[in-house]
């Protein structure tokens, strides 16, 4: 798998016809424009999901109190400003779905895979620009359908973001099991089609369109992460699609794949022979790889940013690649740890415990390699670097609690409590968001030709970092105290009265942290138009994307695509005047390529 085609199409690729507004900005086939579309759509969906999470936190902190925000945003589901139980579960469902799939999968992976894969491997564009465009528009369509479910009469899907049967399989079970649930399933089916088209495109592009000299061992770790993420998606997303299609058949065509011996108000339904646990197996076979579909791109982005801003070669390049591959493999054989209390055979539970604890090894390799890259580096503490270091912190703290949840004997005690919420929000939600923010701060000049305001970036990071731990650190303790998740109020349980004040503190941190995301949104949109003009290589980085002109052009490089002569991490290399050496600089006579 060595070097490949130098020219992809003609040198005047993309210049033989005048682009209209629609072909340039809406139905664009240019990977850089599609990356921006993914980014802005992901940001909008993220804002919607954060507003939902704030409403959930307010409800838990001040239950049964009238709230003007509820009255304004929820209407009939919050009579007199008091949230109903049904809409609380719907908020949990749609918040989780949007954050996991639409923000952290499509918003993160879709943005940076599209932007960086052609630029960092030396390609004119993706293997198929048309499929790339279709992939984005399917994602956009699924986003619209998901949001539209809030406007149906009976309300949006309300079975939790994991949509377990029977709540999701019986349209008559509750209000949110009706049309809202159908829209959820349709939206996710379209989203999966989008994800598969995108992933196939990424894999083919990385394998076939690398420039001359760009061997697999010279690829930046970002590309390794996107490449392996795409492969995981291709393997695991079709399983969720099959689960969704079988669920639609149970709902609409009288089958009983997931239903057995159901009673509603004393009436025996005709379903028999199905198993809700089968749905859990199908869902989590995607659900756990999904954690790494979300996390690996963020880890790849962090590798690039930490090496660049430490002015040092990344420590243990081959170990990092091996850990990405090991995580990809192990992530597909650990899904049962979500099901320890489903009546699983204890022996099978011990097998899943073993494979789950095994995945800590490649994860620890990545954490140690980040720390050793930072060690004694000439650190440039810009906002992208701060968010990358923040990711290392949350990845370690969230990962440590994963060891508890991965052990079947320990998990039973804290399963379905706030301990689980704290764990996966830190290790997956906050870590991936930090990777997302780091990527935006680092590659914003490449995307928009302007610089983000660094001081606003510092404010954004420090408030976000303090509030993220302020929200999720106390959750570990209320979880160990037994507080169950997904309950819209705990006032009926005197046992939890002492935890009410902790929930108020968590909610205050959540509100402050969310409000300060406005700093980032303002910085982002104002800098697109008024930011300081970017130079070609503002971070003095080695990778190929910084050899392209600041002004965007379809085809990335004017003239021939440059050839690659070295790996991506020649920082502070002896024998060179600068502390960085671009990948396109030939080796000097007698100079050895670093062993990595």
């Amino acid at each position: 798998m060595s070097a490949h085609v130098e020219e992809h199409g003609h040198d005047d690729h993309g210049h033989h016809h005048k682009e209209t507004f629609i072909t340039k900005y809406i139905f664009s086939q240019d990977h850089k424009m599609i990356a921006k579309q993914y980014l802005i759509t992901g940001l909008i969906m993220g804002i919607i999901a954060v507003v939902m999470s704030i409403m959930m936190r307010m409800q838990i902190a001040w239950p049964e109190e009238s709230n003007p925000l509820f009255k304004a945003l929820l209407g009939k589901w919050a009579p007199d400003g008091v949230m109903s139980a049904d809409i609380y579960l719907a908020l949990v469902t749609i918040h989780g779905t949007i954050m996991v799939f639409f923000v952290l999968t499509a918003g993160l992976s879709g943005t940076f895979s599209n932007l960086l894969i052609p630029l960092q491997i030396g390609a004119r564009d993706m293997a198929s620009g048309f499929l790339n465009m279709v992939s984005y528009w399917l994602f956009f369509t699924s986003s619209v359908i998901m949001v539209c479910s809030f406007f149906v009469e009976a309300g949006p899907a309300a079975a939790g973001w994991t949509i377990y049967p029977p709540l999701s399989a019986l349209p008559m079970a509750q209000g949110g099991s009706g049309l809202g649930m159908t829209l959820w399933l349709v939206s996710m089916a379209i989203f999966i089609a989008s994800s598969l088209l995108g992933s196939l495109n990424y894999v083919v592009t990385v394998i076939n369109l690398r420039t001359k000299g760009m061997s697999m061992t010279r690829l930046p770790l970002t590309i390794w992460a996107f490449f392996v993420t795409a492969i995981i998606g291709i393997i695991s997303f079709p399983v969720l699609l099959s689960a969704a299609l079988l669920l639609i058949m149970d709902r609409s065509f009288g089958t009983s794949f997931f239903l057995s011996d159901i009673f509603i108000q004393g009436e025996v339904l005709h379903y028999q022979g199905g198993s809700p646990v089968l749905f859990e197996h199908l869902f989590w076979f995607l659900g756990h790889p999904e954690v790494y579909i979300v996390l690996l791109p963020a880890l790849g982005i962090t590798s690039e940013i930490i090496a660049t801003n430490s002015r040092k070669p990344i420590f243990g390049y081959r170990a990092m690649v091996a850990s990405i591959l090991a995580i990809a493999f192990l992530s597909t054989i650990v899904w049962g740890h979500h099901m320890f209390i489903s009546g699983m055979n204890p022996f099978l539970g011990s097998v899943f415990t073993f494979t789950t604890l095994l995945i800590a090894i490649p994860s620890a390799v990545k954490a140690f390699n980040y720390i050793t890259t930072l060690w004694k580096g000439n650190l440039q503490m810009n906002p992208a670097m701060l968010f990358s270091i923040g990711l290392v912190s949350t990845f370690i703290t969230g990962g440590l609690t994963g060891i508890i949840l991965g052990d079947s004997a320990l998990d039973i005690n804290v399963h379905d409590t706030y301990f689980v919420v704290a764990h996966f929000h830190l290790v997956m939600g906050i870590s991936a968001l930090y990777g997302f923010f780091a990527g935006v701060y680092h590659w914003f000049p490449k995307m928009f030709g302007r610089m983000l305001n660094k001081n606003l970036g510092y404010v954004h990071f420090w408030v976000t970092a303090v509030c993220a731990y302020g929200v999720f650190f106390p959750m570990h303790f209320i979880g160990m105290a037994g507080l169950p998740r997904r309950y819209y109020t705990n006032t009926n349980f005197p046992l939890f009265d002492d935890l009410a004040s902790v929930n108020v503190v968590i909610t205050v941190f959540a509100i402050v942290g969310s409000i300060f995301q406005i700093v980032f949104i303002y910085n982002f949109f104002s800098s697109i138009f008024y930011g300081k003009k970017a130079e070609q290589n503002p971070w003095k980085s080695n990778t190929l994307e910084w050899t392209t002109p600041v002004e965007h052009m379809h085809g990335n490089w004017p003239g021939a695509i440059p050839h690659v002569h070295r790996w991506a991490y020649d920082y502070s290399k002896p024998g060179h005047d600068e502390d960085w050496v671009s990948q396109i600089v030939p080796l000097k006579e007698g100079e050895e390529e670093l062993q990595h």
Side-chain angles (χ1 to χ4, degrees), residues 456-519:
L456 290 179
Y458 291 141
V459 171
H460 177 220
F461 169 74
W462 284 111
V463 176
T464 302
V466 170
C467 290
Y469 272 130
V471 170
F472 298 114
F473 205 71
M475 278 190 190
H476 291 94
F477 298 101
I478 61 175
M480 285 193 285
L483 192 71
R485 60 188 179 131
R486 296 186 181 174
Y487 282 28
Y488 86 114
T489 175
N490 297 295
T491 48
N492 291 335
F493 306 102
L495 173 69
F496 300 131
D497 286 350
D498 292 344
L499 304 179
S501 55
V502 183
N503 265 322
V504 173
V505 170
I506 291 171
T507 301
V508 170
F509 273 118
I511 292 169
V512 172
S514 301
I515 288 171
F516 269 82
Q517 300 314 304
I518 295 170
V519 173

Side-chain angles (χ1 to χ4, degrees), residues 205-223:
T205 305
V206 171
I207 290 175
N208 288 331
L209 298 186
R210 283 171 284 128
T211 188
K212 187 174 180 184
M214 181 62 84
S215 62
M216 294 298 276
T217 51
R218 284 177 174 171
L219 286 175
L221 288 169
T222 36
I223 303 301

Side-chain angles (χ1 to χ4, degrees), residues 5 89 121 175 213 221 243 250 348 353 439 465 470 474 501 510 521 529 557 596:
V5 189
L89 190 54
I121 68 171
L221 288 169
D250 274 11
L348 194 56
T353 295
S501 55
I521 298 294
F529 302 103
W557 285 269
H596 44 267

Side-chain angles (χ1 to χ4, degrees), residues 162-218:
T162 53
I163 58 158
Y164 286 170
L167 283 181
S168 58
L170 294 171
M172 72 289 283
Q174 59 174 354
S177 300
L179 179 58
M181 190 70 238
T182 303
L183 289 174
W184 192 101
L185 290 165
V186 170
S187 171
M188 283 309 301
I190 296 171
F191 177 85
I192 292 166
S194 158
S195 179
L196 288 173
L197 286 178
S199 296
L200 288 166
N201 220 351
Y202 306 153
V203 169
V204 171
T205 305
V206 171
I207 290 175
N208 288 331
L209 298 186
R210 283 171 284 128
T211 188
K212 187 174 180 184
M214 181 62 84
S215 62
M216 294 298 276
T217 51
R218 284 177 174 171

Side-chain angles (χ1 to χ4, degrees), residues 202-458:
Y202 306 153
V203 169
V204 171
T205 305
V206 171
I207 290 175
N208 288 331
L209 298 186
R210 283 171 284 128
T211 188
K212 187 174 180 184
M214 181 62 84
S215 62
M216 294 298 276
T217 51
R218 284 177 174 171
L219 286 175
L221 288 169
T222 36
I223 303 301
W224 271 108
F226 300 145
F227 177 61
V228 173
T229 299
I231 293 170
I232 304 174
I234 292 166
I235 292 167
S236 56
F237 262 116
V239 181
L240 182 63
L241 182 61
S242 69
L245 293 176
L246 295 178
L247 197 52
I248 288 169
M249 292 175 76
D250 274 11
R251 290 170 58 80
S252 305
F253 301 110
T255 58
S256 57
F257 291 105
F258 306 129
L259 294 167
S260 178
D261 304 333
I262 302 285
F263 294 76
I264 289 191
Q265 295 175 339
E267 180 193 348
V268 185
L269 301 189
H270 65 277
Y271 299 102
Q272 58 185 22
S275 168
V277 176
L278 170 62
F279 180 85
E280 291 190 39
H281 278 292
L282 293 174
F283 182 90
W284 287 115
F285 191 82
L286 162 89
H288 201 82
E290 172 64 24
V291 172
Y292 294 99
I293 290 172
V294 163
L295 203 49
L296 280 179
L299 294 173
I301 287 167
T302 297
S303 301
E304 179 67 27
I305 292 171
I306 284 181
T308 301
N309 290 299
S310 297
R311 315 312 293 165
K312 274 178 66 181
I314 192 81
F315 184 89
Y317 174 90
R318 288 177 190 271
M320 292 289 253
V321 172
S323 69
I324 290 172
L325 295 170
I327 285 171
F329 170 69
L330 290 170
S331 72
T332 60
I333 56 170
V334 297
W335 77 90
H337 67 216
H338 297 270
M339 300 165 56
F340 284 147
I341 64 167
S342 65
M344 178 189 291
N345 181 313
F347 172 74
L348 194 56
S350 66
V351 172
F352 281 118
T353 295
F354 175 70
T355 56
T356 301
L357 298 182
L358 214 54
I359 210 166
I361 297 170
S363 300
V365 167
K366 297 195 82 62
F368 286 130
N369 284 22
Y370 292 138
I371 293 166
T372 41
T373 304
L374 290 165
W375 180 252
K376 293 190 176 178
N378 177 19
L379 304 185
Q380 318 291 306
M381 286 299 189
N382 51 44
M385 183 64 155
L386 288 173
F387 274 109
S388 297
I389 295 171
L391 182 149
V392 177
S393 167
T394 54
F395 186 56
I396 293 170
T397 48
L400 288 172
T401 53
I403 295 171
I404 295 167
L405 294 171
D407 187 303
S408 54
L410 296 174
D411 174 73
I412 287 167
N413 300 287
V414 289
H415 196 94
D416 269 335
T417 69
Y418 270 89
F419 192 90
V420 178
V421 178
H423 160 73
F424 78 75
H425 275 87
L426 272 181
V427 81
M428 177 180 163
I430 299 298
S431 296
L433 276 176
Y434 281 178
F436 177 80
F437 287 136
V440 171
Y441 281 105
H442 189 73
W443 282 289
F444 189 89
K446 181 77 327 206
M447 296 181 91
F448 298 102
R450 293 178 183 270
M451 304 295 286
L452 283 163
N453 183 308
K454 191 186 275 192
N455 291 330
L456 290 179
Y458 291 141

